[in-house]
Structure formats: C-alpha cells, structure tokens
Amino acid sequence: SYELTQPPSVSVSPGQTARITCSGDRLGDKYVCWYQQRPGQSPLLVMYQDIKRPSGIPERFSGSNSGNTATLTISGTQAMDEADYFCQAWDSSTSVFGGGTMLTVL
Amino acid sequence: QVQLVQSGAEVKNPGASVKVSCKTFGYSFTRYGISWVRQAPGQGLEWMGWMNTYNGDTNYARSLQGRVTLTTETSTSTAYMELSSLTSDDTAVYYCARDQSSGWGLDTWGQGTLVTVSS
C-alpha cells in the first residue's frame, strides 16, 4: 500500500520559515493536501492541489510538490501556527495520510 | 454556512458494531462526496473511506475492507459510517468531512465522534 512519510517534529523560531516535508513514491504525480490540527480540534484544510490556499488561510502558508517530496512552507511563522500538520494524497482510488508533523514555535 | 454535525459519543463492547451519523447543512448534499477519517488517541489520521453522494459509489481503505460500510440518506442530507466486529484497536475519534475529490481536499469537517470499545 502507498505510504507518505513526514518528520515527527519540526521546530522554528517566531518570524522564521518552517518547512514540513511529505515523501512518497512519485508523489509529484499526485495532488497533495495539507491539514493543520490543534489539540482538541478537528483538522483544518490549509492547502489543496499542492499549491492552493483555501479561503481564510493566511498567505504565509504555501505549498510545493515535485519528484518524491511535497513541502508545506510557513513564512514568518507565528505562535498560533504551532500544531500538528498532516499531508494527504490519493493513490488508486484510496487515500492516505502522512504520519503527521508536530510544529513547535519556540 | 457549511456545517457537518455528527452524532454523540458511543461506548461499545468488543465484537459489536457502531453506526455514526453526519448531518450536513448549508450546501447541496449530492454535489460533494463524504470521506470518513479516524484518529486513535494520541495518533495520526487514518483515512477510512469515501462515498460519492450522487451515485452511491464507495472506496474503502484496504485495512478496513469488509468491516466498514458507508451509506447516505439523501432526503435528510445525512451520511453514515458503520463499523463492525469492533476491537479495542477501533477506539478512536471518528470524523466525517466534505470531500470534492480530485485533490480538492477535505474542506469542512465534523466535530468528531468518540467511539470507545471496552468490555
């Protein structure tokens, strides 16, 4: 079955750029979505079709996807961005999530 | 506005089945699919399946094939997820989410339903 791999944790200082990666075989051939989940809350879609931001998501969130790796980039990271982030892709009529990355802003 | 409201928490014995509902508001029900996702305590997200609310087509995660059934009731704009032969490993928060497919993502989520499997 298809697998997506994320780093368990990423740390960033306030105002700096955070990059969260998601790796999978030929991932660049698929659409990737990203979700933010704060403790006790439902996930929130922050990126779809690799590079598109849903309405209401700040411009500091951006995405890319090429080769075997998709990346969610948060520029000028703020304390409120501290959360778990999950990537998602579809493969052969089934979907899969990455294991998640805990973003710490310190 | 678009809302997905799920049924309340459940406690089930091992071997039993559970059925979770997801009532939708604020959009045309059959224009979007519904995905179901679960999250075990302290763990990541696990995709369970997707249903085309227009024609009833379904796709299920291989790991749950045969145990999970997705249905809808178009007259009330409600989706259902039934999981059978429960074990303690099925203890999790279960989410429904609106899913337009083709990479558009799960753009609106329900509040989650905690299902606890315990004897």
Side-chain angles (χ1 to χ4, degrees):
Chain A
S1 60
Y2 195 76
E3 293 184 359
L4 296 175
T5 301
Q6 298 181 237
S9 62
V10 168
S11 297
V12 64
S13 299
Q16 298 304 301
T17 297
R19 293 181 179 84
I20 300 171
T21 59
C22 175
S23 299
D25 185 46
R26 303 179 71 167
L27 185 57
D29 293 342
K30 312 176 193 301
Y31 277 135
V32 173
C33 300
W34 290 91
Y35 302 87
Q36 175 194 72
Q37 186 180 34
R38 297 189 175 106
Q41 295 186 14
S42 301
L44 172 71
L45 180 69
V46 296
M47 199 67 55
Y48 67 97
Q49 289 183 347
D50 299 336
I51 62 172
K52 298 178 180 179
R53 275 180 294 105
S55 173
I57 300 303
E59 290 185 10
R60 63 179 180 274
F61 287 83
S62 64
S64 65
N65 184 19
S66 180
N68 295 323
T69 304
T71 303
L72 176 70
T73 300
I74 309 172
S75 305
T77 307
Q78 300 182 8
M80 65 185 299
D81 299 329
E82 186 164 285
D84 293 326
Y85 291 84
F86 297 89
C87 59
Q88 181 206 17
W90 280 83
D91 179 70
S92 301
S93 300
T94 62
S95 186
V96 62
F97 287 95
T101 298
M102 179 185 300
L103 177 66
T104 301
V105 183
L106 38 69
Chain B
Q1 84 266 25
V2 177
Q3 266 190 296
L4 281 66
V5 179
Q6 300 182 221
S7 49
E10 303 260 15
V11 179
K12 295 291 183 181
N13 290 324
S17 297
V18 67
K19 191 170 186 176
V20 178
S21 68
C22 171
K23 187 169 176 58
T24 69
F25 301 88
Y27 72 96
S28 178
F29 182 66
T30 55
R31 288 193 62 188
Y32 295 81
I34 295 285
S35 276
W36 288 85
V37 176
R38 70 178 181 178
Q39 187 170 36
Q43 302 300 308
L45 303 176
E46 179 186 7
W47 181 81
M48 301 179 66
W50 172 85
M51 185 165 197
N52 182 324
T53 56
Y54 181 76
N55 62 16
D57 285 349
T58 53
N59 292 316
Y60 296 120
R62 292 188 190 89
S63 61
L64 295 171
Q65 199 91 28
R67 288 208 299 137
V68 63
T69 304
L70 303 184
T71 57
T72 60
E73 186 175 69
T74 303
S75 63
T76 60
S77 300
T78 303
Y80 299 91
M81 184 284 301
E82 185 169 20
L83 187 63
S84 62
S85 303
L86 293 170
T87 72
S88 57
D89 289 343
D90 295 315
T91 294
V93 175
Y94 289 75
Y95 296 100
C96 62
R98 192 176 80 162
D99 186 353
Q100 206 172 337
S101 74
S102 300
W104 287 84
L106 282 57
D107 66 1
T108 307
W109 293 64
Q111 83 277 21
T113 297
L114 175 61
V115 175
T116 303
V117 182
S118 174
S119 54

